[in-house]
């Protein structure tokens, strides 16, 4: 018992030593609005979109009005107005094909179960069938159009498989199926329609829309630690926050004034990073703090369109800094913004 007591004391001492030898980081989230550019910009002469629906058989009990409304809500592109067909209008066709269900297959499976001291084989009954509710879309421009612009959403032309719960008694399975057949089919149709319509809306919005989005970035600051002060990093964060709050919801990149403000924050972080000692955990800017500063710099460089600088810091962080996994999301955002800027041929000032 006494030995356990000493072991616990030693463990607490070790934990305390670890805690006092590492700086604590604060996470600060800044929210702002910006214009998200399309991945596939449409020709400049296209100002309107015209939705067209082609519906297959709508089952009794399903509301045709609700189905049409759901698809109409999905067929739109931010930045374009709905209008009549013409030389400046994109036609978006959505074809909802008839829901299909295969023949029901009644199956059995044997399972081993304990009955007292013995293990016995027990037969369970279930049913399975295949189904689909295909939703096809097609974009038609008055002129030529090279982008991929048609197909089945979510591979909805391919069959999905449904499997029921298992029943000990075949009669119970039949009873459940007879009582729930219609409601189950209605739910499967509704779930597929909701999912496919949502995916169509996302595809149109993500690839072709000019949309004001609510965005946010996370910045690290460092708490005072022993003799070390981090007022410079606090100041940099405050300046960066000012710059982000100057972002405009109708612009994809910061204004000149916002960019100038962000550059002041970056200059402070660059100076702090220059004093980093990655081999010494007890210095002011150690590997952990360096990684936090790198995160902050990458966030601003990416939003400013300085993609090469952001990429250089991500690579360095991956190789040298303690980063706690933030580089993965930073890389995803960098790649996305870079694709959109390049696709729209935006020049970085």
């Amino acid at each position: 018992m006494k030995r356990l007591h000493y072991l616990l004391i030693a463990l607490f001492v070790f934990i305390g030593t670890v805690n006092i030898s590492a700086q604590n980081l604060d996470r600060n989230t800044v929210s702002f609005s910006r214009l998200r550019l399309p991945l596939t910009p449409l020709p400049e002469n296209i100002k309107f979109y015209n939705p067209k629906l082609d519906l297959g058989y709508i089952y009794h009990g399903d509301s045709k009005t609700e189905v049409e409304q759901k698809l109409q809500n999905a067929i739109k592109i931010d930045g374009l107005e709905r209008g009549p067909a013409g030389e400046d209008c994109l036609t978006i066709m959505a074809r909802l094909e008839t829901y299909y269900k295969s023949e029901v297959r009644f199956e059995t499976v044997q399972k081993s179960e304990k009955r007292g001291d013995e293990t016995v084989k027990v037969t369970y009954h279930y049913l399975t069938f295949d189904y689909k509710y295909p939703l096809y879309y097609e974009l038609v421009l008055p002129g030529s159009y090279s982008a991929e612009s048609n197909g089945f959403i979510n591979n909805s032309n391919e069959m999905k498989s449904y499997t029921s719960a298992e029943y000990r008694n075949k009669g119970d399975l039949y009873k459940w199926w007879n009582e729930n057949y219609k409601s189950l089919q209605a739910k499967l149709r509704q779930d597929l329609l909701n999912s496919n319509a949502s995916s169509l809306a996302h595809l149109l919005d993500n690839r072709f829309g000019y949309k004001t989005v609510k965005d946010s970035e996370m910045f690290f600051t460092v708490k005072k630690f022993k003799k070390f002060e981090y007022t410079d990093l606090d100041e940099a964060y405050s300046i960066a926050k000012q710059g982000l709050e100057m972002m405009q919801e109708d612009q994809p990149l910061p204004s000149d004034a916002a960019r100038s403000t962000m550059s002041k924050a970056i200059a402070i972080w660059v100076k702090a990073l220059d004093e980093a000692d990655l081999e010494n955990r007890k210095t002011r800017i150690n590997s952990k703090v360096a990684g936090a500063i790198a995160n902050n710099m990458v966030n601003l460089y990416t939003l400013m369109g300085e993609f090469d600088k952001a990429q250089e810091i991500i690579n360095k962080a991956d190789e040298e800094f303690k980063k706690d996994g933030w580089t993965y999301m930073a890389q995803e955002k960098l790649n996305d913004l870079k694709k959109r800027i390049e696709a729209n041929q935006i020049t970085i000032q």
Side-chain angles (χ1 to χ4, degrees), residues 30-86:
V30 182
S31 299
F32 54 94
S33 297
R34 63 179 177 86
L35 178 66
R36 191 194 65 192
L37 297 172
L39 285 171
T40 311
L42 296 166
E44 291 185 2
N45 67 299
I46 300 300
K47 307 297 182 185
F48 302 94
Y49 71 92
N50 181 31
K52 288 190 174 181
L53 293 182
D54 181 9
L55 302 183
Y57 175 75
I58 303 299
Y59 275 73
H60 179 71
D62 294 351
S63 169
K64 183 177 180 180
T65 301
E66 290 182 8
V67 171
E68 289 179 336
Q69 188 62 52
K70 193 161 295 185
L71 292 175
Q72 289 282 8
N73 290 339
I75 305 175
K76 61 182 181 180
I77 296 179
D78 285 308
L80 301 182
E81 296 182 16
R82 182 170 175 172

Side-chain angles (χ1 to χ4, degrees), residues 176-226:
W176 169 82
W177 178 240
N178 289 332
E179 292 176 351
N180 295 277
Y181 169 79
K182 290 184 178 180
S183 60
L184 174 62
Q185 299 303 313
K187 183 179 186 307
L188 293 178
R189 289 194 298 272
Q190 186 73 20
D191 289 347
L192 280 183
L193 177 61
N194 289 341
S195 174
N196 294 334
S198 176
S199 293
L200 176 57
H202 175 74
L203 180 147
L204 296 174
D205 176 57
N206 188 51
R207 287 185 56 189
F208 306 107
Y210 292 82
K211 184 175 183 178
T212 295
V213 295
K214 298 293 184 181
D215 204 348
S216 65
E217 290 293 353
M218 189 273 294
F219 295 89
F220 289 112
T221 52
V222 187
K223 294 180 180 179
K224 180 178 179 180
F225 176 68
K226 291 186 175 181

Side-chain angles (χ1 to χ4, degrees), residues 164-349:
S164 73
E166 296 171 354
Y167 291 81
R168 287 282 304 276
N169 185 289
K170 190 174 184 179
D172 291 338
L173 173 62
Y174 277 109
K175 182 176 184 295
W176 169 82
W177 178 240
N178 289 332
E179 292 176 351
N180 295 277
Y181 169 79
K182 290 184 178 180
S183 60
L184 174 62
Q185 299 303 313
K187 183 179 186 307
L188 293 178
R189 289 194 298 272
Q190 186 73 20
D191 289 347
L192 280 183
L193 177 61
N194 289 341
S195 174
N196 294 334
S198 176
S199 293
L200 176 57
H202 175 74
L203 180 147
L204 296 174
D205 176 57
N206 188 51
R207 287 185 56 189
F208 306 107
Y210 292 82
K211 184 175 183 178
T212 295
V213 295
K214 298 293 184 181
D215 204 348
S216 65
E217 290 293 353
M218 189 273 294
F219 295 89
F220 289 112
T221 52
V222 187
K223 294 180 180 179
K224 180 178 179 180
F225 176 68
K226 291 186 175 181
K227 61 182 179 181
F228 299 134
E229 296 279 354
Y230 294 96
T231 54
D232 55 337
L233 303 188
D234 291 337
E235 180 186 7
Y237 162 65
S238 178
I239 294 172
K241 185 172 183 290
Q242 293 175 26
L244 288 174
E245 290 172 346
M246 295 166 67
M247 293 280 287
Q248 297 171 298
E249 65 179 21
D250 61 346
Q251 296 296 323
L253 293 170
S255 64
D256 290 342
R259 183 181 296 275
S260 176
T261 301
M262 293 176 184
S263 296
K264 294 175 183 177
I266 289 177
I268 297 174
W269 286 323
V270 168
K271 183 178 179 181
L273 208 54
D274 285 342
E275 70 174 85
D277 185 348
L278 305 183
E279 303 301 323
N280 184 358
R281 189 172 61 180
K282 297 182 180 181
T283 192
R284 189 177 92 98
I285 308 297
N286 57 17
S287 178
K288 180 179 182 180
V289 176
I293 294 172
N295 165 84
N296 300 346
M297 295 174 66
V298 166
N299 288 345
L300 286 195
Y301 274 140
T302 297
L303 288 173
M304 294 166 68
E306 301 285 349
F307 302 122
D308 290 342
K309 293 180 180 178
Q311 188 64 64
E312 181 181 348
I313 297 174
I314 288 176
N315 294 342
K316 188 176 181 65
D318 275 332
E319 295 170 1
E320 302 179 15
F321 302 152
K322 181 177 180 182
K323 54 193 178 300
D324 296 328
W326 61 263
T327 55
Y328 175 79
M329 293 300 297
Q331 187 71 66
E332 291 286 303
K333 186 162 191 173
L334 188 157
N335 292 343
D336 182 71
L337 288 177
K338 185 177 181 180
K339 285 180 184 177
R340 294 177 190 275
I341 292 294
E342 292 178 347
N344 290 269
Q345 301 180 348
I346 303 295
T347 300
I348 310 297
Q349 301 294 331

Side-chain angles (χ1 to χ4, degrees), residues 50-200:
N50 181 31
K52 288 190 174 181
L53 293 182
D54 181 9
L55 302 183
Y57 175 75
I58 303 299
Y59 275 73
H60 179 71
D62 294 351
S63 169
K64 183 177 180 180
T65 301
E66 290 182 8
V67 171
E68 289 179 336
Q69 188 62 52
K70 193 161 295 185
L71 292 175
Q72 289 282 8
N73 290 339
I75 305 175
K76 61 182 181 180
I77 296 179
D78 285 308
L80 301 182
E81 296 182 16
R82 182 170 175 172
E87 292 301 314
D88 56 357
C89 183
L90 164 71
T91 298
I92 309 173
M93 188 276 288
R95 184 178 72 236
L96 180 66
E97 300 184 358
T98 301
Y99 173 81
Y100 172 81
K101 179 189 72 65
S102 72
E103 291 292 328
V104 177
R105 300 180 294 275
F106 290 88
E107 309 282 357
T108 60
V109 60
Q110 284 195 331
K111 296 184 177 182
S112 297
E113 295 184 358
K114 293 288 289 184
R115 298 288 174 84
D117 296 332
E118 296 183 358
T119 299
V120 299
K121 294 287 187 180
V122 180
T123 299
Y124 285 88
H125 301 265
Y126 67 94
L127 63 81
T128 182
F129 57 85
D130 301 319
Y131 65 102
K132 63 180 179 179
Y133 205 8
L135 177 60
Y136 176 86
Y137 84 98
E138 185 173 308
L139 275 64
V140 181
L141 285 176
S144 61
Y145 189 46
S146 59
E148 177 186 359
S149 56
N150 62 80
F152 285 95
I153 295 295
N154 290 338
N155 296 317
S156 55
N157 59 317
E158 298 179 1
M159 302 290 278
K160 294 182 176 294
S161 179
Y162 175 83
T163 301
S164 73
E166 296 171 354
Y167 291 81
R168 287 282 304 276
N169 185 289
K170 190 174 184 179
D172 291 338
L173 173 62
Y174 277 109
K175 182 176 184 295
W176 169 82
W177 178 240
N178 289 332
E179 292 176 351
N180 295 277
Y181 169 79
K182 290 184 178 180
S183 60
L184 174 62
Q185 299 303 313
K187 183 179 186 307
L188 293 178
R189 289 194 298 272
Q190 186 73 20
D191 289 347
L192 280 183
L193 177 61
N194 289 341
S195 174
N196 294 334
S198 176
S199 293
L200 176 57

